[in-house]
Amino acid sequence: MAKVPAAVVAAGGLVGGYGVARWTKKRQLGGVVLAGAGAVAARQWKQQAGGKAAGALTAAYVAAFAGSHPLAKKVGAWPAVLGVAGAVALASWAVADRHA
């Protein structure tokens, strides 16, 4: 079975976490999705690109989550989430996935 690229896992965690929180009206459940996908992506980043890169990409993942909140006030919730998810996916591909 082919491994899902870390870029897809990370973007899916951001989008999925928001979607679950919104549709279930349980923010904690969305947080579980966000954290779970982040942990899986971080493990892949470490395997593919090393500890420093994994740390930087994990920080980008957390910053994207935090940054989506003020961005949502300007462009709307879904565009903000999709935008930051795309940015994290691009960073993941550039740093880790394209070398795998």
Side-chain angles (χ1 to χ4, degrees):
M1 182 160 93
K3 185 158 94 172
V4 177
V8 174
V9 173
L14 289 162
V15 173
Y18 174 69
V20 167
R22 182 177 177 121
W23 289 313
T24 65
K25 301 197 184 324
K26 298 199 183 314
R27 294 178 71 178
Q28 298 86 351
L29 193 54
V32 169
V33 172
L34 179 80
V40 170
R43 187 170 10 135
Q44 286 183 263
W45 291 328
K46 187 173 182 184
Q47 289 172 348
Q48 294 170 351
K52 285 185 182 182
L57 288 167
T58 300
Y61 184 78
V62 172
F65 167 70
S68 69
H69 291 81
L71 183 60
K73 293 180 181 183
K74 296 188 183 299
V75 301
W78 278 112
V81 170
L82 294 173
V84 300
V88 168
L90 181 61
S92 176
W93 177 81
V95 174
D97 291 334
R98 75 176 169 161
H99 302 296

